Amino acid sequence: MDGPRTKVELFAAIRRDARVEKLSIRELSRRYGVHRRLVREALTSPWPTARKPMPPRASVLDPYKHLIDSILRADLDAPRKQRHTAKRVFDRLVDEHGMEDVSYGRVRDYIRRRKPEIWVEEGRGPPAVFIPQTHRPGEEAEVDFGDVCITLNGVRTLCYLFVFRLSFSGRPSTASSSRRGRKPSSKATSTPLKCWEEYLVGKFATTT
């Protein structure tokens, strides 16, 4: 029979043997090959003490993080065109603070992660979140309309286009009419209409 594979299983085995076989702490330590301190811990609680989180690893960027943060905070009140790009921040650290042995990619990645955090810390907005959109069949649709000029039988013709797109399936339905009095027509299609002119020429050609 295999021995305990996890620390929780080890604690359970120690507690069972202490209760059933009345083994001492020394005997339990010898049986399972663990320190007596661990045996005492197992007899005190069935759950192992959670490991302390490892301290963050030192980074070559650490001495410059407060400088980057100060630049990002100053950018909050600066006009959009005067805000620092990641490349500009990197250049300033090199030119003004003598930064060496730190890659541009490391600075860029830190800025990408830190910028939204600073926005939240300074009360400028909520953290960026992703809200998935779901659409039930027949509940929602998107519409658009406009004017489209096409060349029809050699004549430049103004057409009126209406597009109705079902949010659930993504299938568009289009209706079109021209100023030349042709009867409006409509058609549902499962593919995007990449070229309105070709579509409308074909549409009116079938109604003449």
Side-chain angles (χ1 to χ4, degrees):
M1 180 177 177
D2 295 336
R5 296 184 179 182
T6 67
K7 202 171 184 179
V8 173
E9 293 175 347
L10 173 62
F11 273 38
I14 291 174
R15 293 169 67 85
R16 181 191 64 241
D17 291 352
R19 182 179 66 256
V20 176
E21 300 184 31
K22 307 299 182 182
L23 297 179
S24 66
I25 292 178
R26 178 176 296 179
E27 291 170 330
L28 291 168
S29 174
R30 185 181 303 111
R31 170 175 289 188
Y32 291 101
V34 297
H35 198 280
R36 281 175 287 181
R37 187 185 307 111
L38 185 64
V39 175
R40 293 189 183 94
E41 182 183 344
L43 297 177
T44 301
S45 171
W47 301 106
T49 303
R51 289 186 177 183
K52 294 182 179 180
M54 296 292 293
R57 296 177 58 183
S59 168
V60 293
L61 189 62
D62 287 346
Y64 308 98
K65 287 181 177 179
H66 71 284
L67 298 172
I68 298 175
D69 289 357
S70 64
I71 293 175
L72 296 179
R73 286 191 169 90
D75 278 353
L76 294 177
D77 297 317
R80 180 176 297 274
K81 292 186 178 181
Q82 296 181 16
R83 296 174 187 173
H84 290 71
T85 63
K87 182 61 168 60
R88 177 57 182 149
V89 173
F90 175 80
D91 291 340
R92 284 192 59 181
L93 294 176
V94 173
D95 297 338
E96 300 176 14
H97 302 280
M99 184 180 69
E100 297 180 353
D101 301 327
V102 179
S103 67
Y104 164 71
R106 189 181 295 270
V107 174
R108 179 200 58 209
D109 292 343
Y110 176 78
I111 291 175
R112 182 184 297 116
R113 175 181 61 83
R114 190 73 179 106
K115 184 178 291 187
E117 295 176 351
I118 289 179
W119 270 77
V120 175
E121 292 171 4
E122 297 298 321
R124 299 302 182 95
V129 295
F130 173 75
I131 302 177
Q133 294 187 0
T134 56
H135 306 284
R136 299 183 63 180
E139 282 194 350
E140 299 178 20
E142 306 160 16
V143 299
D144 198 3
F145 53 88
D147 300 340
V148 180
C149 287
I150 67 171
T151 302
L152 183 61
N153 296 328
V155 179
R156 200 64 178 167
T157 305
L158 176 64
C159 296
Y160 305 107
L161 187 69
F162 175 84
V163 180
F164 178 94
R165 180 180 182 273
L166 298 174
S167 300
F168 174 75
S169 65
R171 289 178 59 88
S173 177
T174 62
S176 54
S177 64
S178 75
R179 298 183 62 182
R180 298 171 63 181
R182 290 189 171 88
K183 182 180 178 181
S185 58
S186 63
K187 178 183 179 182
T189 176
S190 59
T191 58
L193 301 176
K194 297 181 180 180
C195 181
W196 292 115
E197 183 164 349
E198 293 180 3
Y199 168 75
L200 293 174
V201 168
K203 176 67 65 177
F204 285 116
T206 61
T207 60
T208 55

